[in-house]
Amino acid sequence: MEVLLLIQLKNNMKNDNDIKNLLIVDEDNYSKQKMEEFAKKLIKYAKISKRGDIIILDNSLSPDDKLRIALVLRFIAHTFDDSIPETITLKELADLLSERLEAVGSRLSQIMKRENFAKKVKKGVYMVQYFVIDKFL
């Protein structure tokens, strides 16, 4: 009987830890190794130059996915090379999509509201929410 109670207690503790891990996102879990895994998934869709310019390889992607990829790619590239900013400007995104600033701003605003995908760092500068990268990829 005592052994059964101990097993149940351990299972409950494990379940509590699982819930805790689902609820609390640890920035340390987003290490270089994790970023390498994400990068492997991304390289078939886009690449990034040493200056931080995004190069979309798959033009069949929707404009929204191109925005998401650009945000994620900048964040990941920054973990490998500090000279590449982890943020991206609205102007850079507009140039990438060949769309007007207002259109890209509206599109980005919708993604942020629906998915909490990115956050505004300052006027016209955005960064991906690191905890959504895994879900997106």
Side-chain angles (χ1 to χ4, degrees), residues 54-67:
I54 307 294
I55 304 151
I56 299 292
L57 301 174
D58 185 349
N59 287 321
S60 68
L61 295 168
S62 72
D64 286 356
D65 280 341
K66 288 178 183 178
L67 283 178

Side-chain angles (χ1 to χ4, degrees), residues 19-55:
I19 291 169
K20 177 184 169 190
N21 291 336
L22 289 172
L23 177 66
I24 301 172
V25 180
D26 184 4
E27 289 179 41
D28 294 336
N29 284 339
Y30 289 84
S31 64
K32 265 193 179 177
Q33 182 181 4
K34 189 95 167 159
M35 292 301 134
E36 285 176 9
E37 291 172 25
F38 293 154
K40 286 178 187 175
K41 292 178 182 179
L42 268 181
I43 57 176
K44 57 185 164 192
Y45 301 106
K47 298 202 185 238
I48 190 164
S49 74
K50 289 184 179 188
R51 293 185 331 208
D53 298 325
I54 307 294
I55 304 151

